[in-house]
């Protein structure tokens, strides 16, 4: 219908003329147009351009829509005129229609323009057809009229105005409805429409009869078999043999309606997605590739005030000058666009820049879209900065986990490999010292005692490494029971007294006899005390070492005090960290792994206690730890079930054996 349409645009504003032209193109109209801005240009264009329709601003300097309509009415009465105005009152709009304008459109509601143009052209052409038919009815013979009537492409029905019964119908309407020509004559308007729609159909019939409208759109029509299709019906009065009838031209629009419904649904879904998407969605149009739209996520992502501000930017202006590969963003962006246009789509990673200058990494999908003769690009942008950060973090975590596992396997292997030969060496030294391999002199005994002390120290170091491995893997086990902390302190003091005496140091115990028995893992606490006392002896050259116990609120407080070399202030925070040796020169002489205090810290934490130190360089050190008087250890699921009598110890053992086999 639109092919070859000629539109005369009467408008003195170039901006408004461009907006109207864009709306016409957006609506898919195929047309040629001519823009005039004055009365003289208008008169000239009417004769030379011969427009099919006129779009006219209501008021311009020296010219107006009412004047234009009067000119058209006199010389070109069949040419429809639509008023397109910025602001127009209701009274003026009514007067405009009375003067003969077929419609009026407000410039801030141009969405109605294309449908109004289509309707006006359709009505004008039908009016021409009707007038032509009237002329032919007057001039031609009955046979000639019948030939024209029966061969028309559209279905035609002629109805009696009073009874609304059909006078005749052509071949096309018979095919549409499924009736024969004779059957058509026995029917009326109310017989060919669904019952529920009859009131609406009759109202449209009356309006067409009075000349209020010519075109009734989307009219439901019922076939003989009961099925329904939709038609646009153009109608006007006609006189045959001196009697007035209403003649209606039926055009089946079922396929068009289905396509429009599908398109509308698609557009609604797209609009919903466009507005609610968390990804930035925008469109770009050739040849300049300027942005023509951007959704709310786009505004947020690029940190602009609104969509209008976003549309100011060219695509490469929202990117740094160069991409990470060193190529200029403008050059590379145009290449990405060209690839998408050629292949239909292009997915790539891109460094963007927000309006505030902040750069970010994004995934971009460019898709080529065609709408009729219009071609543009649809762009979807997703900020992957956080994704990349998490990806890097996970990679580092995996690398750290692998390194930790390798370290644990290595320490376990080394510790176990050292333990076996060390046991053999230690046992051999003991056999020689006891004289089972023959008599030894005093010098040999001193050397063997030194070797024994070093193997004992090495054994402790290996045990520390194994405990560290268990600590790292979360497999350090505890055996909590009711114990006397003072007895434990005395036991450690007795074991370490010989070592202290060899260095000429006094090792004393100051115990609070009123401390009750409390729950703790005796062997683990002995390990902590042994480590603290051993360190005190190791780093004290003269003076004394005291182990004290006392009660404080709900805690038992244990203190190991020495008169040794002390600890520098800058080293205090490193005390309980893994593999930290505070004075490398000193520790090379004294020996150590840097694990003892870290393991002691984990043991005390497992007892719900606290361990800390106080010291000054050259003035000795004081190490403290506390253990709660009432301690509830976290029971394993098996212990809870056995305690509640829901499972026996034998059942648990069987289950554990099955688990071991599966592993």
């Amino acid at each position: 219908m639109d092919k070859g349409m000629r539109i005369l645009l009467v408008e003195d504003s170039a901006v408004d003329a461009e907006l109207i032209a864009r709306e016409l193109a957006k609506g898919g109209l195929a047309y040629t147009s001519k823009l005039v801005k004055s009365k003289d240009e208008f008169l000239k264009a009417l004769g030379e351009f011969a427009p099919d329709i006129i779009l006219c601003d209501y008021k311009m300097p020296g010219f107006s829509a009412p004047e234009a309509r009067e000119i058209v009415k006199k010389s070109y009465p069949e040419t429809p005129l639509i008023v397109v105005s910025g602001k127009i009152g209701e009274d003026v709009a009514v007067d405009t229609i009375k003067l003969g304008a077929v419609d009026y459109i407000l410039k801030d509601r141009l969405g109605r323009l294309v449908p109004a143009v289509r309707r006006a052209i359709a009505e004008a052409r039908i009016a021409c057809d009707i007038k032509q038919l009237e002329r032919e009815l007057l001039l031609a013979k009955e046979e000639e009229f019948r030939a024209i009537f029966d061969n028309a492409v559209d279905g035609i029905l002629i109805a009696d105005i009073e009874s609304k019964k059909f006078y005749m119908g052509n071949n096309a309407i018979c095919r549409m409805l499924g009736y024969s020509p004779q059957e058509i004559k026995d029917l009326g308007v109310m017989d060919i429409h669904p019952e529920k729609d009859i009131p609406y159909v009759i109202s449209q019939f009356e309006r067409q009869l009075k000349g209020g409208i010519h075109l009734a759109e989307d009219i439901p029509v019922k076939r003989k078999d009961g099925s329904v299709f939709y038609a646009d019906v153009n109608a006007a009065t006609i006189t045959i043999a001196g009697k007035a009838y209403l003649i209606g031209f039926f055009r089946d629009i079922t396929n068009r309606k289905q396509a429009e419904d599908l398109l509308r649904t698609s557009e609604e879904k797209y609009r919903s997605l466009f507005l609610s998407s968390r990804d930035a969605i925008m469109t770009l149009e050739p040849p300049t590739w300027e942005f023509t739209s951007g959704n709310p996520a786009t505004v947020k992502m690029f940190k602009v005030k609104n969509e209008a501000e976003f549309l100011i930017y060219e695509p490469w202006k929202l990117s740094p000058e160069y991409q990470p590969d060193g190529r200029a963003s403008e050059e590379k962006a145009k290449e990405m666009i060209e690839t998408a246009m050629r292949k239909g789509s292009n997915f790539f990673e891109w460094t963007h820049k927000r309006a505030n200058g902040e750069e970010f990494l994004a995934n971009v999908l460019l898709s080529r879209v065609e709408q009729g003769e219009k071609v543009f690009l649809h762009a979807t942008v997703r900020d992957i900065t956080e994704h990349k950060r998490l990806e890097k973090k996970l990679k580092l975590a995996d690398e750290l986990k692998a390194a930790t596992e390798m370290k644990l396997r290595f320490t376990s292997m080394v510790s176990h490999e050292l333990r076996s030969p060390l046991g053999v060496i230690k046992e051999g030294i003991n056999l020689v010292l006891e004289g089972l391999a023959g008599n030894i002199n005093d010098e040999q005994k001193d050397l063997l005692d030194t070797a024994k002390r070093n193997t004992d120290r090495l054994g402790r170091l290996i045990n520390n490494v194994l405990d560290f491995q268990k600590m790292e893997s979360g497999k350090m086990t505890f055996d909590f029971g009711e114990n006397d902390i003072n007895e434990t302190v005395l036991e450690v003091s007795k074991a370490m007294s010989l070592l202290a005496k060899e260095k000429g140091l006094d090792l004393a115990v100051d115990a609070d006899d009123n401390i009750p028995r409390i729950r703790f893992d005796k062997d683990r606490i002995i390990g902590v005390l042994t480590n603290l006392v051993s360190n005190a002896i190791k780093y004290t050259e003269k003076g004394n070492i005291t182990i004290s116990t006392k009660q404080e609120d709900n805690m038992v407080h244990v203190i190991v005090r020495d008169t040794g070399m002390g600890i520098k202030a800058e080293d205090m925070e490193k005390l309980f960290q893994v593999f930290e040796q505070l004075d490398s020169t000193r520790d090379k002489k004294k020996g150590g792994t840097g694990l003892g205090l870290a393991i002691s810290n984990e043991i005390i934490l497992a007892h719900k206690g606290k361990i800390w130190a106080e010291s000054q360089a050259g003035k000795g050190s004081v190490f403290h730890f506390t253990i709660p008087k009432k301690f509830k250890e976290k029971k394993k699921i098996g212990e809870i079930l056995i305690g509640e009598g829901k499972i026996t110890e034998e059942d648990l053992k069987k289950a554990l054996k099955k688990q071991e086999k599966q592993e």
Side-chain angles (χ1 to χ4, degrees):
M1 183 182 75
D2 305 330
K3 188 174 181 182
M5 184 189 300
R6 296 184 301 280
I7 299 176
L8 179 59
L9 180 57
V10 187
E11 176 60 67
D12 63 326
S13 168
V15 173
D16 288 348
E18 177 62 19
L19 289 174
I20 292 169
R22 285 188 182 181
E23 189 64 27
L24 293 171
K26 182 180 175 183
L29 289 177
Y31 69 97
T32 55
S33 65
K34 185 173 182 61
L35 174 65
V36 298
K37 300 181 180 180
S38 65
K39 183 176 180 180
D40 290 339
E41 290 178 351
F42 177 73
L43 291 169
K44 185 178 180 182
L46 283 176
E48 295 178 356
F49 184 66
D52 295 311
I53 188 167
I54 300 167
L55 304 181
C56 185
D57 193 358
Y58 183 77
K59 192 166 185 62
M60 296 164 288
F63 196 43
S64 67
E67 290 179 74
R69 182 55 198 158
E70 284 298 321
I71 293 169
V72 172
K73 190 175 180 181
K74 290 178 181 178
S75 304
Y76 306 94
E78 294 84 14
T79 304
L81 183 145
I82 296 177
V83 176
V84 183
S85 180
K87 290 184 179 179
I88 186 170
E90 187 175 344
D91 292 339
V92 175
V94 172
D95 291 340
T96 302
I97 298 300
K98 286 181 179 178
L99 285 172
V102 297
D103 207 342
Y104 68 92
I105 305 294
L106 296 177
K107 288 180 180 177
D108 61 353
R109 297 182 184 177
L110 288 176
R112 289 188 56 240
L113 180 60
V114 172
V117 169
R118 291 183 186 276
R119 184 168 57 251
I121 291 293
E123 290 179 354
R125 290 178 179 173
I126 290 299
C128 288
D129 289 344
I130 291 172
K131 288 186 177 181
Q132 179 63 27
L133 185 57
E134 286 178 339
R135 286 193 292 270
E136 291 178 355
L137 286 172
L138 291 172
L139 300 174
K141 296 179 180 178
E142 179 67 24
E143 292 80 8
E144 293 173 343
F145 165 73
R146 175 59 67 179
I148 296 170
F149 184 78
D150 285 340
N151 292 319
V153 175
D154 291 336
I156 304 174
L157 280 171
I158 300 176
D160 185 278
I161 292 173
E162 299 296 331
S163 67
K164 298 181 178 57
K165 291 291 184 180
F166 296 134
Y167 173 71
M168 67 172 64
N170 70 345
N171 293 330
I173 198 68
C174 290
R175 289 193 297 272
M176 284 184 185
L177 299 176
Y179 292 106
S180 67
Q182 188 57 46
E183 287 175 319
I184 288 288
K185 292 183 178 181
D186 295 330
L187 302 174
V189 173
M190 290 178 285
D191 297 315
I192 64 165
H193 301 283
E195 186 175 353
K196 65 182 180 63
D197 297 304
I198 288 176
Y200 174 72
V201 172
I202 295 300
S203 69
Q204 296 298 94
F205 183 94
E206 296 294 340
R207 290 183 67 191
Q208 289 174 322
L209 184 62
K210 295 174 182 177
I213 59 170
H214 290 295
L215 178 66
E217 298 179 290
D218 292 349
I219 300 296
V221 183
K222 184 176 67 175
R223 299 185 181 93
K224 183 178 180 179
D225 61 9
S227 61
V228 176
F229 68 96
Y230 288 83
D232 283 349
V233 182
N234 282 286
T237 56
I238 186 174
T239 301
I240 301 176
K243 185 175 181 179
Y245 294 89
L246 191 68
I247 182 170
F249 295 80
F250 288 68
R251 178 162 294 178
D252 189 339
I253 62 162
T254 304
N255 292 336
R256 190 191 82 191
K257 184 175 176 62
Q258 290 174 347
E260 288 175 350
D261 290 343
L262 186 62
L263 179 61
R264 183 168 54 254
T265 301
S266 177
E267 287 176 346
E268 289 172 356
K269 287 181 179 178
Y270 174 78
R271 192 65 187 168
S272 175
L273 175 65
F274 182 82
L275 293 174
S276 63
S277 174
R278 296 173 65 180
D279 292 332
I281 299 175
M282 59 212 74
T283 55
L284 309 86
E285 293 188 7
T288 59
W289 297 113
E290 294 177 345
F291 290 118
T292 53
S293 70
N295 68 340
T298 300
V299 172
K300 183 178 179 181
M301 181 178 290
F302 289 96
K303 293 189 177 179
V304 291
K305 293 178 182 178
N306 47 43
E307 185 183 19
E309 183 182 339
F310 171 74
L311 298 182
I312 296 171
Y313 289 91
E314 295 173 304
W316 36 90
K317 295 298 183 183
L318 289 171
S319 304
E321 186 176 358
Y322 296 97
Q323 288 297 302
D325 62 0
R327 294 188 61 190
S329 290
E330 181 174 354
E331 175 192 342
K332 191 170 181 180
K334 289 178 179 178
E335 182 182 302
M336 297 295 104
I337 289 170
E338 191 277 329
T339 300
M341 290 296 288
R342 187 178 70 256
K343 294 184 176 180
S345 67
N346 191 12
F347 181 77
F348 53 93
E349 202 170 90
W350 189 264
T351 299
H352 273 296
K353 184 177 70 176
R354 307 186 208 278
N356 63 3
E358 176 190 353
E359 294 182 9
F360 66 98
L361 198 60
N363 281 337
V364 179
L365 174 63
L366 296 179
S367 302
R368 186 175 187 268
V369 180
E370 297 182 18
Q371 286 186 351
E373 297 180 359
K374 186 178 179 181
V375 180
F376 61 93
L377 278 179
H378 179 282
T380 303
V381 178
R382 175 171 294 178
D383 188 337
I384 59 172
T385 306
E386 183 66 14
H387 172 75
K388 286 289 184 181
R389 188 186 68 79
L390 291 174
E391 193 177 76
K392 186 176 180 181
K393 191 174 180 180
L394 285 173
K395 184 179 179 182
L396 289 174
D398 288 342
E399 290 173 353
L400 180 61
K401 182 180 178 183
T404 302
E405 289 175 351
M406 183 180 293
K407 180 179 68 176
L408 291 174
R409 287 197 299 271
F410 176 75
T411 54
S412 177
M413 179 194 71
V414 171
S415 300
H416 282 92
E417 289 298 319
L418 288 174
R419 215 172 188 183
S420 297
L422 186 63
V424 174
I425 294 169
K426 186 176 179 181
E427 187 61 29
I429 292 172
N430 286 332
L431 290 173
V432 175
L433 280 171
E434 291 172 6
L436 297 177
N439 295 327
I440 57 174
N441 57 39
D442 290 341
E443 185 179 353
Q444 291 171 331
K445 185 176 183 300
D446 288 341
L447 290 171
L448 288 170
D449 283 336
T450 301
K452 183 177 182 300
R453 283 195 301 273
N454 278 283
T455 54
D456 288 340
R457 181 170 61 81
L458 186 55
R460 288 194 299 273
L461 295 179
I462 292 172
N463 287 334
N464 278 346
V465 172
L466 288 173
D467 282 342
F468 166 71
Q469 180 211 5
K470 293 175 182 177
M471 180 182 75
E472 287 281 278
S473 60
K475 294 181 179 179
M476 183 180 282
T477 58
F478 293 86
D479 182 15
F480 292 94
E482 295 287 341
N483 293 291
D484 188 323
I485 190 67
N486 289 332
E487 287 182 4
T488 305
V489 168
L490 288 170
E491 187 175 331
V492 172
S493 174
K494 185 177 179 181
M496 303 298 291
S497 60
L498 181 61
L499 186 61
K501 189 178 291 186
E502 287 178 351
K503 287 194 69 174
L505 303 172
D506 290 330
L507 178 58
V509 174
D510 180 15
D512 181 350
D513 295 333
N514 295 319
I515 297 176
R517 292 174 68 85
I518 61 175
R519 285 181 64 79
F520 62 87
D521 185 325
K522 185 175 180 180
D523 289 340
R524 294 293 184 189
I525 295 301
I526 285 175
V528 173
L529 280 166
T530 300
N531 181 266
L532 296 179
V533 175
S534 175
N535 284 343
I537 293 171
K538 187 188 300 183
Y539 300 117
T540 302
E541 297 302 325
K542 61 180 180 178
N544 57 72
I545 298 163
T546 305
I547 310 173
S548 306
T549 63
K550 60 181 180 178
Q551 299 184 71
E552 294 177 353
D553 298 328
N554 297 320
M555 309 294 286
V556 171
H557 189 173
V558 180
I559 306 160
V560 177
R561 187 186 307 272
D562 66 56
T563 57
M565 62 181 67
I567 303 167
K568 295 177 183 177
E570 61 266 26
D571 288 335
M572 288 296 291
E573 63 181 23
K574 304 176 185 177
L575 271 178
F576 299 99
Q577 296 180 16
V578 176
F579 294 122
E580 288 290 348
Q581 296 177 333
L582 307 186
D583 186 333
S584 59
T585 304
R586 177 186 66 181
D587 282 337
K588 282 179 182 177
K589 295 178 181 179
K590 303 296 184 181
T593 60
L595 292 172
L597 289 177
I599 294 170
S600 297
N601 182 50
E602 290 298 319
I603 291 171
I604 296 303
L605 288 176
H607 282 76
K608 310 299 181 186
K610 182 181 177 184
I611 186 169
W612 71 98
E614 300 167 345
S615 182
Q616 288 184 0
K619 294 186 179 182
S621 303
V622 184
F623 281 80
H624 307 257
F625 71 82
T626 58
I627 303 175
K629 290 180 182 178
K630 294 182 179 180
F631 173 70
K632 289 185 178 181
E633 60 187 293
K634 187 176 179 181
K635 292 184 178 181
K636 297 177 181 178
I637 185 66
E639 294 171 329
I640 294 171
L641 291 171
I642 292 172
E644 294 178 353
K646 294 180 179 178
I647 187 173
T648 66
E649 189 173 351
E650 189 62 31
D651 292 333
L652 184 59
K653 287 179 180 178
K654 289 179 181 178
L656 288 172
K657 283 183 180 179
K658 282 186 178 179
Q659 187 181 39
E660 287 174 1
K661 288 179 180 178
Q662 290 173 353
E663 292 175 350

